[in-house]
Amino acid sequence: SKLYIGAYDPLTYNDDMFSKEFGEGVIAYLAGGAYSSSTVFEVEDSFGRVRLMKNSIETVRVKNSEYSFRNAPSFMSLLNEESAERDALNEVNALVDHLLYHQNTAPFIASRLIQRFATSNPDPIYVSSVAKSFRTGKYGSLGSGKYGDLAATVSAILLDPGSQSAVLDADPYHGSIREPLTKALHVLRSMEIKLENGKKVLENHFPFTERIFQMAHSFPSVFSFFLPENIPSGRPGEAELTSPEAMLTDMPKIINMLNGLFSAIKYGVSRCNNGFGRGDNESNCQEGNFTDAVARLSFDSQFSDANDVVTELSTLLTGGRLGAQNKQVVIEAYRSKLPDKEAGMRIAQQLIISSPEFQSSNTVVKNGQPRLPLPDPQPKGVPYKAVVYIMLTGGADSFNMLVPMRCSTYYDYIRIRRGVEQRT
């Protein structure tokens, strides 16, 4: 359609002002019984909305030029009128409707939700299927049939072959890195966290924001914790794969995560060995001693055989995706701690949460070959400027970090750092 200007409902006028003509999916309201610029067309768009369009076009032509463009709609009067507040509200509503029903809205929302629920790199067919459910409000028999129905949208994400097909296990591009907060809560819930001595977790809440830089309702900015289009370095980046969660997987965050989970397994939720708990009391940091813990992981398998115990842990912590080779390593470690079953449970839990199957949502396939080192980047012969950023935890010993070798301050350096100076 080339008509963009809305019209008042013809039914609000006198009965004899307009006559109707019916076409294929269109009703024309004719003023005076003939087609003119006052004619109003009633149509139903692809979203099920009834639209009333005026039979006219307003074009702005640039003087002394061949350029022209459609006159943009204006809601607000140039005068300060009493209707200004009403018109401003109408303008905002029109903009919101425009964005909601824009042709790119459905695939945009579909791809973003798929990244959160299923995989970081959905294929176009998967996105199209979810976008269709968003537009139609139906996925099979699920949904209300209304545009934007999230029940139908999420059903499509979780039930579509793009997330359920068995062949996805062989797809190296399927899956995603798991978010730090999701991993931490997964361990605490699946391993049955239990409060100690009537203590309340809310009174000693986990400092997740400080330790793993992620906590519910604590976005660092309006852009959330990571960017959906983030492309990490290394082989995923070379393959142009996106990995939003990779923005939270630098070395300090990875170490803090493992330290916190290992501490929760061995000492309960406390400050022991950089655990997730608060407080300064680390006097009882002995493995299996939960005296100073706010809570502890109380899971105890009902099985006695090592293989059955590790299989159960694999189901709870990796959805049964623990590979045969890694599973055998965990079984042997568990057996090495027997007859102390609790110690065996703790070492098995630590090994499984260190596995790639726990850290990501895809199926891990090993080829048995050592990973080749990445080649050094080749110089392009183009001049450039570089900013070197050094991140240190603690004080910066600047006189040994950057040693003045060919200037007068070198002798000051020798005098001040006598005994630990670096000489050429």
Side-chain angles (χ1 to χ4, degrees), residues 405-417:
M405 302 300 293
R406 294 183 176 86
C407 59
S408 59
T409 56
Y410 176 70
Y411 300 102
D412 294 332
Y413 164 75
I414 294 294
R415 176 177 55 81
I416 295 173
R417 305 296 295 176

Side-chain angles (χ1 to χ4, degrees), residues 21 73 79 101 122 170 210-211 219 235 260 268 307 335 364 372:
E21 273 197 12
L79 303 176
Y101 292 102
E210 305 163 17
R211 302 302 309 286
F219 295 149
R235 286 175 172 81
N307 183 73
R335 286 173 176 164
V364 177
L372 298 176

Side-chain angles (χ1 to χ4, degrees), residues 214-379:
Q214 191 179 33
M215 185 57 186
H217 315 298
S218 298
F219 295 149
S221 73
V222 295
F223 301 106
S224 187
F225 298 103
F226 35 70
L227 300 177
E229 64 275 9
N230 175 61
I231 298 179
S233 58
R235 286 175 172 81
E238 293 174 358
E240 297 185 350
L241 297 177
T242 60
S243 180
E245 299 83 359
M247 293 183 69
L248 295 180
T249 54
D250 58 30
M251 189 55 66
K253 297 182 182 68
I254 294 173
I255 297 301
N256 282 343
M257 167 63 70
L258 290 177
N259 282 342
L261 293 179
F262 284 3
S263 175
I265 291 170
K266 294 192 289 185
Y267 315 108
V269 179
S270 67
R271 282 292 300 159
C272 292
N273 287 2
N274 296 313
F276 285 141
R278 292 191 180 277
D280 300 320
N281 189 356
E282 299 186 31
S283 59
N284 294 315
C285 291
Q286 298 179 1
E287 186 170 341
N289 184 349
F290 307 113
T291 303
D292 295 326
V294 175
R296 65 182 181 89
L297 306 184
S298 64
F299 175 77
D300 183 20
S301 177
Q302 301 302 311
F303 298 103
S304 57
D305 180 73
N307 183 73
D308 293 337
V309 172
V310 174
T311 299
E312 185 177 19
L313 287 175
S314 171
T315 301
L316 293 172
L317 293 172
T318 69
R321 293 179 294 106
L322 191 64
Q325 184 177 349
N326 288 345
K327 183 176 181 180
Q328 189 58 40
V329 170
V330 179
I331 290 174
E332 293 174 0
Y334 179 88
R335 286 173 176 164
S336 69
K337 297 293 184 179
L338 295 178
D340 190 342
K341 184 179 177 181
E342 292 183 357
M345 178 65 69
R346 289 193 293 269
I347 190 64
Q349 290 169 334
Q350 293 174 76
L351 288 174
I352 291 178
I353 67 173
S354 303
S355 68
E357 290 90 343
F358 175 78
Q359 302 293 332
S360 63
S361 65
N362 61 313
T363 300
V364 177
V365 179
K366 296 184 178 182
N367 59 18
Q369 301 297 321
R371 178 172 294 181
L372 298 176
L374 291 174
D376 294 331
Q378 298 300 316

